Amino acid sequence: MNFTGDMLWMLVLLPVIGAVLSLRMPSPRAALRTVALGVPAIAGMAAWAVVTVFRGGPLLSRGEWLHLDALSAYHMFVMMVVFVLSSLYAIPYFRHEPEGHVLDLKSGRRFAALWYGALGAMTLVLLSNSLGVMWVGVEATTLLTAFLICLRVTPVSLEATWKYLIVCSVGVAFAFMGVLLVAAAMGHTSGDPHLLHWTHMRRIAGTLDPKLLKLAFVFLLVGYGTKAGLAPMHSWLPDAHSQAPAPVSAIFSGFMLNMALYCIMRYVPLVEAATGWSGWAPNLLVVFGLVSVVIAAVFILAQHDLKRLLAYCSVEHLGIIALGLGLGPLGVFAALFHTLNHSVCKALGFFSAGRLGQIYGTHDMRQIHASLRANPLWGTGLFGSILALIGVAPFAIFMSELLILKAAVEAGRYVALAVFLLGAGTVFVGALRNGIDMAWGVKPAVDGSAKNSFGEWIIVIIPLLLLLVLGLWMPTSFRHVLEAAAAVLKRGAL
């Protein structure tokens, strides 16, 4: 039996069902188990859809409201990897929370319901064929994930929540103006409900008003770029990531930022087709990408909080992805490869930061020493994720960054190449210094001897192995997946 276009609705509805069931759970442990069992089950169905797309072509539901092509299928795969790992990690994380921070029934139910809600909203963004409904999905992720930041209510977490809500809502309002301008660029309003469907706009992209579409893209880039954490619109990101529980930080950095950047990707071929493939939209992505890398590098040097350090690494890596998207076909291929690498690596980084924060009682890097001795598993997870994030060979991030450098050379973008190397080199020095200090040194008086569960070992080993394997060898099938996803953004796809 093949996965059909109409079955895409199930991928949106199943998280809603999971959220409703979570609110009926008799205990916090039961709510967390609902997440740990339900999310992998939904991921299995999503994997069925993804395989169908890469074997047989895009899926389109009746009414053409839902659409899954190679680009959205690839992002679906990345999202499910992050959500499955984070859902499994949530159980040991909340089990080890210190006295006074343990989930009660109300907060456990709320966490599980919002978790499923976030999964459903992000799925809607990826599956939506309508650019308007895609915007609705992005706004829904803001409202649902905001209350995951302040799961543990403190003045600082409430401040981070409000900053996230206000800044991202303003950004999404900018994106809404962009959507309206895209509609105006069509030059007519026929009342057709399919007017803003991407499959329709792809066919008529060459007839759109280029001036209006350029203005629309500026609004969209600023709006969705705010949600993606691109500098200088990133002000919400360090606070939200540092205050949210570690599983939430993992899905924020591991996929929610990529989801917003995916929305920008959808508009790039439309703008390019309308402007005669002049490179106008990719040039903007290069500028925002480089600004993000440089600003992240400066702030990383001054960080003392581990989770804020990882948050600024997200600003850097989303900037690297944006840079790659602006550097031609090879750059797009490398950017999509980097998307998976960064998502897996950043999830592991926040997992490790969360558990070590529980062991040491702080996320202050000046007080975290000898983590490899205090808890070898999570110490290895943290140090390994930092090495991967800064591009140490043979991890996969080294390979995707190398491909982006090659794309810059082939495109003759030597200034961009120099700025990228300067920013990445600064991050390398700053993050490695902190990583070494946390991995070794004098062991403090902390008890990290508690036996790690089998699930915790899996959560650390699988991401590290994946990053190592993809850094040493890219399977032919995976290369074809990346090529198919990248082809959606190329000239010949329109």
Side-chain angles (χ1 to χ4, degrees), residues 304-363:
H304 299 299
D305 184 276
L306 175 55
K307 292 183 75 177
R308 290 181 73 89
L309 173 78
L310 293 174
Y312 279 110
C313 280
S314 294
V315 176
E316 180 213 5
H317 284 279
L318 267 293
I320 292 173
I321 295 170
L323 172 63
L325 292 172
L327 292 177
L330 178 59
V332 172
F333 177 93
L336 293 175
F337 185 27
H338 198 81
T339 297
L340 173 64
N341 298 338
H342 169 253
S343 293
V344 172
C345 187
K346 189 54 64 64
L348 175 60
F350 275 112
F351 295 162
S352 304
R355 283 293 291 116
L356 290 175
Q358 292 172 332
I359 292 168
Y360 284 84
T362 181
H363 291 117

Side-chain angles (χ1 to χ4, degrees), residues 4 43-44 59 62 65 71 85 95 116 118 149 174 207 278 289 340 355 367 372 377 389 412 414:
T4 65
L59 296 172
R62 274 181 289 186
W65 288 99
L71 183 64
L85 289 173
R95 185 174 66 240
Y116 273 115
I149 298 172
F174 268 79
T207 68
S278 62
L340 173 64
R355 283 293 291 116
Q367 299 180 39
L372 291 174
L377 176 65
L389 283 170
Y414 298 110

Side-chain angles (χ1 to χ4, degrees), residues 27 30 52 105 140 299 309 359 365 371 399 486:
S27 68
T52 300
L105 178 58
F299 278 95
L309 173 78
I359 292 168
M365 292 184 288
S371 61
M399 294 305 302

Side-chain angles (χ1 to χ4, degrees), residues 70-88:
L71 183 64
S72 51
Y74 177 70
H75 281 83
M76 179 76 70
F77 164 70
V78 175
M79 179 181 73
M80 289 304 175
V81 169
V82 172
F83 260 94
V84 168
L85 289 173
S86 302
S87 300
L88 297 176

Side-chain angles (χ1 to χ4, degrees), residues 474-493:
M474 180 181 289
T476 302
S477 57
F478 181 60
R479 176 179 292 275
H480 290 162
V481 165
L482 288 174
E483 290 172 346
V488 176
L489 302 179
K490 291 180 182 178
R491 183 171 187 169

Side-chain angles (χ1 to χ4, degrees), residues 1-17 37-53 59 66 68 73 76-77 79-81 84 119 123 127:
M1 179 181 177
N2 292 324
F3 196 99
T4 65
D6 289 334
M7 293 171 69
L8 293 173
W9 288 106
M10 292 300 297
L11 294 177
V12 179
L13 294 175
L14 284 175
V16 177
I17 296 171
L37 294 174
V39 171
I42 296 171
M45 188 172 186
W48 183 15
V50 168
V51 170
T52 300
V53 167
L59 296 172
L66 299 184
L68 188 68
M76 179 76 70
F77 164 70
M79 179 181 73
M80 289 304 175
V81 169
V84 168
L119 174 60
T123 301
L127 292 181

Side-chain angles (χ1 to χ4, degrees), residues 132-156:
V133 176
M134 178 189 291
W135 176 87
V136 172
V138 173
E139 177 66 1
T141 65
T142 301
L143 298 175
L144 290 165
T145 56
F147 297 100
L148 287 171
I149 298 172
C150 60
L151 190 68
R152 189 175 71 199
V153 178
T154 65
V156 180

